[in-house]
Amino acid sequence: MRGLGLIGLVVALAIVALVAKKQFAGAAAPVVSTGGDATVRDQARQVQEQYKQALDAAMQQSKRKMPDDE
């Protein structure tokens, strides 16, 4: 009986690991395309802009149309 419990625990752990792997794969870091002469400041500004755009897109998706109170 202990063997079955251990096997069940290992299977459950494997399922959780697969789900977590899929979740983290969807949350990829923003890609920074750098030219040969890009400075750290330019790269930081580009990352900030990409983050802002992603945040704005997420906020637009989460907005719901609220009915007017009349």
Side-chain angles (χ1 to χ4, degrees), residues 32-57:
V32 178
S33 59
T34 60
D37 299 334
T39 64
V40 173
R41 182 174 295 208
D42 293 336
Q43 291 174 359
R45 193 170 292 142
Q46 187 177 11
V47 169
Q48 288 175 349
E49 185 62 30
Q50 288 177 347
Y51 183 79
K52 183 179 179 285
Q53 289 172 354
L55 187 61
D56 288 342

Side-chain angles (χ1 to χ4, degrees), residues 55-66:
L55 187 61
D56 288 342
M59 292 297 290
Q60 290 296 326
Q61 289 178 354
S62 68
K63 279 188 179 178
R64 289 186 238 159
K65 193 170 191 176
M66 300 297 287

